[in-house]
Amino acid sequence: MKKSLLLFITLLGMATVQAEDYNYLTIVCIDGTKTSLTAVGLSISFSDTQLTATNAYTDETTTIALTDLASMKFSNTDETTGIHTIHANETNDKKNAIYNLQGEQLPVNATLPKGIYIIKKGNETQKYIVK
C-alpha cells in the first residue's frame, strides 16, 4: 500500500511539470563572446571537434570549436541584442509603462500587436519583442 501511494504521488508530481518555452539559445565562448540563435527550428550537431547550430527557419548557422565553448543556455532574451521575448498577455501589469519605437506611451491594458516595445518596470527599462 505504501509503495502504491508513493508511486501515485510521484506520478502526480511528474504530471504537473511543464517545460519552459524558450526563444533563444545563447552560446558563450571562453573569450566571452556570445552568439544567440532563435530556438524554434534549431538543430545542433557535434563532430569530433566542432559544434554546429543551424536554424532551418531563419538560415542562421554557427560553427564553434568545442575547445572554445564555455557554456550554452536557453532563455527568452537574445543576449547579443538585449531584446526580451514576451507574449502579448504578459504586458498588463499596471506598474509597467509601455512605449513603442516612436516613443509614444501605450495603455498598459492594451493588447499589443507583434513588434518591439520599450517597457519600464519600476527603475528598470528593457526592450521586448512581442510574438
Side-chain angles (χ1 to χ4, degrees), residues 6-18:
L6 182 61
L7 178 63
F8 175 74
I9 292 171
T10 303
L11 290 175
L12 182 63
M14 290 173 51
T16 60
V17 174
Q18 294 181 358

Side-chain angles (χ1 to χ4, degrees), residues 24-27 35 37-47 50-56 60-64 66 69 71-74:
Y24 299 99
L25 170 68
T26 300
I27 301 170
T35 303
L37 300 162
T38 306
V40 176
L42 185 67
S43 65
I44 301 171
S45 61
F46 295 91
S47 69
Q50 294 185 331
L51 171 146
T52 301
T54 304
N55 189 305
E60 298 169 290
T61 300
T62 298
T63 302
I64 297 172
L66 292 176
L69 181 64
S71 67
M72 296 188 316
K73 67 179 180 177
F74 287 97

Side-chain angles (χ1 to χ4, degrees), residues 10-104:
T10 303
L11 290 175
L12 182 63
M14 290 173 51
T16 60
V17 174
Q18 294 181 358
E20 281 289 328
D21 185 22
Y22 294 116
N23 296 304
Y24 299 99
L25 170 68
T26 300
I27 301 170
V28 182
C29 293
I30 56 174
D31 65 359
T33 58
K34 295 180 180 179
T35 303
S36 288
L37 300 162
T38 306
V40 176
L42 185 67
S43 65
I44 301 171
S45 61
F46 295 91
S47 69
D48 291 335
T49 60
Q50 294 185 331
L51 171 146
T52 301
T54 304
N55 189 305
Y57 300 131
T58 63
D59 294 329
E60 298 169 290
T61 300
T62 298
T63 302
I64 297 172
L66 292 176
T67 55
D68 293 336
L69 181 64
S71 67
M72 296 188 316
K73 67 179 180 177
F74 287 97
S75 70
N76 283 323
T77 304
D78 180 342
E79 294 192 12
T80 59
T81 63
I83 295 177
H84 302 267
T85 300
I86 60 172
H87 298 283
N89 61 349
E90 297 177 50
T91 61
N92 293 336
D93 186 344
K94 294 184 184 197
K95 296 179 264 181
N96 296 344
I98 303 171
Y99 301 89
N100 61 20
L101 291 182
Q102 288 74 37
E104 302 166 331

